Structure formats: structure tokens, C-alpha cells
């Protein structure tokens, strides 16, 4: 067999980092050779730059983005990709909601949990640890965005109960685990909604 192996002459960028605000992110990396152009791909959108940084604008708050960078050393000479992810910050500040959980048997929620989500991402998970009968947990969330709550079933859901309190301390949802089924069960417009 005629097999030839050619060494790559174009080295991949290193130390790829992203610094993000709510609506912008600056992607930076270190050049590893004599390359003067880079291909930057963010969530399947491609950009070419002649600097070893790139600033993205008009991003969505509280959103995770994937970014990959490859060095361009010639018309048919491109490096391997270097990749990372970043999440934009919250816009409008943070606030706290509370989850007050109880277990009638007193042994914790046995793998049952409530996932608190914003913009499709889990921002916190609430559960009662083994040996607990009651617990109040506070979740810091982005103030101006909808919040959804998802039930994760455990071994003894019928022992579980909980209340969700908005940022003003008002009870906005109460339930017992026996009433719950896995998946999203409640959404608030923002942390102050009744």
C-alpha cells in the first residue's frame, strides 16, 4: 500500500478563552506559529479575522455558546480546531426565589429533585439530602427572565412536598410529590411574579 503521512504545518491556537457580558463576548487565543488569519465558528456561524481575538455582539443573555477557532496558514492549510463554551451573563440583575421542601418520612427526597431552569439551562437543583425532613433553599436567578421548574422523580415521591416562594416571599406554587410527574410543572414570568 502506498500510504503517505504529511506533518501538519499549521498549529492549532492555544489558550482559547471567552469573556462575556449579557450581550457581548470577546474570544481570545494564542497564536502558535506564523499564521495571520483565523477561522472563528460560533454556534455554526463562521467569521474570519486577522487578529487573535474576536468580539461577538447582539448575543442573548443567559445563553450558552460554543466557539471553535482554527488557524489559517494558507489556501489549503488549516489547523485542527480548538474549542470552548461560554455562557452570557444575566441582564437586569439577579434575585432569589425560595423552595421550601419537606419529607413526611424524614429520610430526604430519595433522588427526587426540582431543577430550576432559565433559558433552557439548569441554574440550580433543589433536593432534600438523606436524613432530612425539611429544608429551605434559595436560588439566585436572572431577574428579568422566565423561570421554569422541572420535577425529577425519586424513589418515594409520595413523601415529598414543597412550596415555591417568589422574591417577595409570596407562595406562588405548592404541591405534594404524589401529585407530580417528571418534567416541567410550573413557570414564572420573572422572580417577582405572583
Amino acid at each position: 500500500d502506498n500510504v503517505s503521512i504529511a506533518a501538519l504545518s499549521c498549529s492549532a491556537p492555544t489558550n482559547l478563552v471567552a469573556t462575556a457580558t449579557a450581550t457581548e463576548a470577546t474570544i481570545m487565543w494564542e497564536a502558535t506559529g506564523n499564521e495571520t488569519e483565523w477561522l472563528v465558528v460560533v454556534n455554526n456561524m463562521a467569521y474570519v479575522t486577522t487578529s487573535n481575538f474576536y468580539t461577538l455582539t447582539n448575543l442573548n443573555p443567559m445563553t450558552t455558546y460554543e466557539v471553535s477557532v482554527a488557524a489559517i496558514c494558507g489556501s489549503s492549510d488549516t489547523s485542527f480546531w480548538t474549542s470552548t463554551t461560554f455562557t452570557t451573563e444575566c441582564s437586569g440583575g439577579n434575585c432569589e426565589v425560595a423552595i421550601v421542601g419537606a419529607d413526611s418520612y424524614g429520610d430526604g427526597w430519595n433522588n427526587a429533585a426540582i431543577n430550576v431552569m432559565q433559558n433552557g439551562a439548569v441554574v440550580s437543583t433543589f433536593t432534600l439530602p438523606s436524613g432530612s425532613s425539611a429544608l429551605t433553599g434559595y436560588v439566585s436567578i436572572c431577574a428579568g427572565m422566565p423561570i421554569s421548574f422541572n420535577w425529577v422523580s425519586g424513589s418515594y415521591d409520595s413523601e415529598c412536598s414543597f412550596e415555591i416562594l417568589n422574591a417577595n416571599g409570596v407562595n406562588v406554587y405548592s404541591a405534594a410529590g404524589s401529585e407530580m410527574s417528571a418534567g416541567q410543572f410550573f413557570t414564572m414570568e420573572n422572580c417577582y411574579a405572583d
Side-chain angles (χ1 to χ4, degrees), residues 94-142:
N94 290 335
C95 59
E96 285 187 336
V97 295
I99 301 174
V100 181
D103 182 84
S104 62
Y105 193 75
D107 64 346
W109 275 9
N110 298 293
N111 297 315
I114 297 172
N115 285 333
V116 182
M117 302 182 70
Q118 282 194 300
N119 208 23
V122 175
V123 295
S124 184
T125 298
F126 176 87
T127 190
L128 261 73
S130 180
S132 298
S133 59
L135 179 70
T136 300
Y138 296 91
V139 180
S140 179
I141 54 176
C142 188

Side-chain angles (χ1 to χ4, degrees), residues 115-175:
N115 285 333
V116 182
M117 302 182 70
Q118 282 194 300
N119 208 23
V122 175
V123 295
S124 184
T125 298
F126 176 87
T127 190
L128 261 73
S130 180
S132 298
S133 59
L135 179 70
T136 300
Y138 296 91
V139 180
S140 179
I141 54 176
C142 188
M145 298 182 68
I147 308 116
S148 63
F149 298 85
N150 293 344
W151 181 254
V152 177
S153 289
S155 301
Y156 300 99
D157 289 356
S158 61
E159 297 174 5
C160 306
S161 62
F162 61 90
E163 296 177 345
I164 297 172
L165 310 178
N166 69 12
N168 295 322
V170 175
N171 181 341
V172 293
Y173 191 92
S174 298

Side-chain angles (χ1 to χ4, degrees), residues 13-123:
T14 60
N15 299 322
L16 179 63
V17 294
T19 305
T21 65
T23 59
E24 292 186 354
T26 299
I27 315 302
M28 297 173 283
W29 58 90
E30 290 182 18
T32 55
N34 296 327
E35 67 273 18
T36 58
E37 285 187 313
W38 293 268
L39 181 59
V40 179
V41 176
V42 180
N43 288 10
N44 299 318
M45 296 292 297
Y47 312 92
V48 174
T49 182
T50 57
S51 301
N52 64 333
F53 66 91
Y54 193 80
T55 300
L56 302 160
T57 58
N58 299 316
L59 301 176
N60 294 318
M62 292 286 299
T63 302
T64 299
Y65 292 87
E66 181 176 352
V67 60
S68 300
V69 178
I72 301 172
C73 298
S75 62
S76 61
D77 192 8
T78 304
S79 73
F80 287 114
W81 293 96
T82 300
S83 299
T84 192
T85 59
F86 66 91
T87 302
T88 50
E89 295 177 350
C90 173
S91 65
N94 290 335
C95 59
E96 285 187 336
V97 295
I99 301 174
V100 181
D103 182 84
S104 62
Y105 193 75
D107 64 346
W109 275 9
N110 298 293
N111 297 315
I114 297 172
N115 285 333
V116 182
M117 302 182 70
Q118 282 194 300
N119 208 23
V122 175
V123 295

